[in-house]
Amino acid sequence: DFFKTPLLRGALKNMFEKHIGPYLIFGWLLPRFDIFHFFFDGGFLVGTPLRFWEVQLLHWAGKKVIVMPYGSDVAVPSHIRSMVFRQGLMMNYPHLGVDEERTLQQIHYFSRHADFVVGCLFHAETLPRWDLLTTHYYPIDVDAWQPTLAARSLADGKNGSVTIVHTPNHRGAKGTEFLLAACQALQAEGLQINLRLLERVPNSEVKRILIEADILAEQFIIGYGLSAMEGMALGKPVMSNLSDDHYYLVHRLYTGLDECPIVSTSIDRIKENLRMLITNPTLRRELGEAGRAYVLKYHSYTAVGQMWALIYQKIWLNQAIDVTMWHPDRLAKVDGQRPGVRA
């Protein structure tokens, strides 16, 4: 009877997932794929004694490895220059400070052994190496996120209410409290504002509300993310913080960020920039159109696919392609078809 108990089944399931499953999955993948993409917090063998041998094993099998950061996998608070950014992280992710030693070990391991390292926005700050610097390495489906004329509002806060959408997954890291204070101050001045805070809301509902919105107030601590890309694709003016030259001067020089129409908004400029957008529907329309064009150029499947094709051609086909300064306007022309590699 013991062998039929939930306790034993749970123990066997746990043993498989932790001690057997990773090796079986790794063995299944090995003959089927040529290029492996990892984040800095580990690959398929992350929970095993071979976690810091995975890239070497892949190399021995003739495979290539690309590593790219997504956020907390490279977040080392003591290595982050911006104290405001660090405070935002500590408000929502205090464990990052406790886990610094492990995070640094992961960063150094993949930086040393990976065939290609992608750096992006402020996530590059803690990396000792990158082979390409870009804003974002993932695309957005621009056909699924299209602007509609019916959603364009002529309200200016006096003749009608202006809807502002904010989607904080964690308020401290997004600067939500400062947005709330700015909206309350503007309402006290007499402006009609409908602030929609979307937390724990299904993605389909977020999209529906964003389509109907006038302004996307994304994040005010640092950077811009997928939400901003979605807002721009929908033709909405977007507010995010791109003001610190320590992080963004290099991107304006090398990645095309100088063309980005996001209204760069640090914490102390939220009220001022909100007032500007609320009272000027023409400016909202112009910024929305510019945002759509920017997303098409830099964040569409086509644009990001070109970037990855160049990376694959470099590391798999050993073509002499300089991708360190990848930019659609400076895109290297490659003869022939795209490489037929499996990634």
Side-chain angles (χ1 to χ4, degrees), residues 10 26 33 43 64 77 83 104 112 123 125 143 153 201 203 222 231 240 287 322 333 342:
F26 185 77
F33 296 92
K64 299 292 185 178
M83 289 297 294
L104 283 169
R112 178 181 179 183
H123 297 318
E125 182 175 30
D143 293 328
S153 168
V201 176
N203 289 338
I222 195 169
S240 295
L287 288 172
D322 181 11
K333 293 183 179 180
R342 296 162 291 158

Side-chain angles (χ1 to χ4, degrees), residues 228-272:
M229 292 160 57
E230 293 170 347
M232 287 189 286
L234 290 175
K236 308 297 179 181
V238 176
M239 300 168 63
S240 295
N241 189 348
L242 304 174
S243 61
D244 191 336
D245 277 350
H246 170 71
Y247 297 98
Y248 300 117
L249 177 58
V250 65
H251 289 84
R252 292 189 180 97
L253 291 173
Y254 295 112
T255 72
L257 189 67
D258 56 312
E259 300 175 26
C260 182
I262 286 176
V263 180
S264 182
T265 306
S266 55
I267 287 171
D268 60 337
R269 293 186 62 86
I270 297 176
K271 179 180 174 182
E272 177 183 347

Side-chain angles (χ1 to χ4, degrees), residues 37-43 46 51 66-76 85 89 93 95-96 99 102-103 106-107 110 117-127 135-138 169-170 174 219 222 224-226 308:
H37 290 248
F38 293 143
F39 297 121
F40 279 86
D41 49 8
V46 66
R51 66 172 301 171
I66 298 171
V67 64
M68 50 210 178
Y70 67 83
S72 63
D73 61 330
V74 296
V76 184
F85 181 29
L89 289 176
Y93 313 102
H95 68 278
L96 294 176
D99 297 337
R102 182 179 64 184
T103 304
Q106 294 168 170
I107 290 173
F110 280 106
V117 178
V118 177
C120 58
L121 286 181
F122 52 87
H123 297 318
E125 182 175 30
T126 59
L127 301 183
T135 51
H136 289 286
Y137 51 75
Y138 51 83
N169 49 354
H170 292 95
K174 303 295 183 182
Q219 52 193 43
I222 195 169
Y224 79 91
L226 181 59
W308 284 116

Side-chain angles (χ1 to χ4, degrees), residues 15-27 44:
M15 183 179 69
F16 177 82
E17 291 178 348
K18 288 188 174 182
H19 302 292
I20 301 174
Y23 300 108
L24 292 179
I25 293 171
F26 185 77
F44 299 100

Side-chain angles (χ1 to χ4, degrees), residues 82-251:
S82 171
M83 289 297 294
V84 176
F85 181 29
R86 288 173 65 176
Q87 169 64 10
L89 289 176
M90 291 303 100
M91 291 175 69
N92 294 130
Y93 313 102
H95 68 278
L96 294 176
V98 178
D99 297 337
E100 269 201 357
E101 184 176 347
R102 182 179 64 184
T103 304
L104 283 169
Q105 186 179 14
Q106 294 168 170
I107 290 173
H108 291 152
Y109 170 72
F110 280 106
S111 295
R112 178 181 179 183
H113 292 286
D115 298 283
F116 200 92
V117 178
V118 177
C120 58
L121 286 181
F122 52 87
H123 297 318
E125 182 175 30
T126 59
L127 301 183
R129 160 204 168 196
W130 58 80
D131 301 293
L132 175 144
L133 186 68
T134 186
T135 51
H136 289 286
Y137 51 75
Y138 51 83
I140 182 174
D141 186 347
V142 293
D143 293 328
W145 294 80
Q146 293 200 45
T148 61
L149 293 176
R152 187 172 294 167
S153 168
L154 297 178
D156 62 5
K158 297 178 181 178
N159 63 12
S161 180
V162 173
T163 299
I164 302 166
V165 166
H166 180 58
T167 57
N169 49 354
H170 292 95
R171 292 192 177 197
K174 303 295 183 182
T176 303
E177 60 184 299
F178 303 103
L179 174 64
L180 294 173
C183 288
Q184 291 171 0
L186 292 172
Q187 287 171 329
E189 294 178 7
L191 289 178
Q192 301 176 48
I193 297 173
N194 176 27
L195 176 61
R196 303 290 304 273
L197 288 180
L198 305 183
E199 298 173 291
R200 294 179 291 277
V201 176
N203 289 338
S204 58
E205 186 69 3
V206 170
K207 183 178 181 181
R208 183 189 66 78
I209 295 173
L210 186 54
I211 288 174
E212 299 172 353
D214 300 305
I215 300 168
L216 172 61
E218 196 209 18
Q219 52 193 43
F220 305 102
I221 301 299
I222 195 169
Y224 79 91
L226 181 59
S227 180
M229 292 160 57
E230 293 170 347
M232 287 189 286
L234 290 175
K236 308 297 179 181
V238 176
M239 300 168 63
S240 295
N241 189 348
L242 304 174
S243 61
D244 191 336
D245 277 350
H246 170 71
Y247 297 98
Y248 300 117
L249 177 58
V250 65
H251 289 84

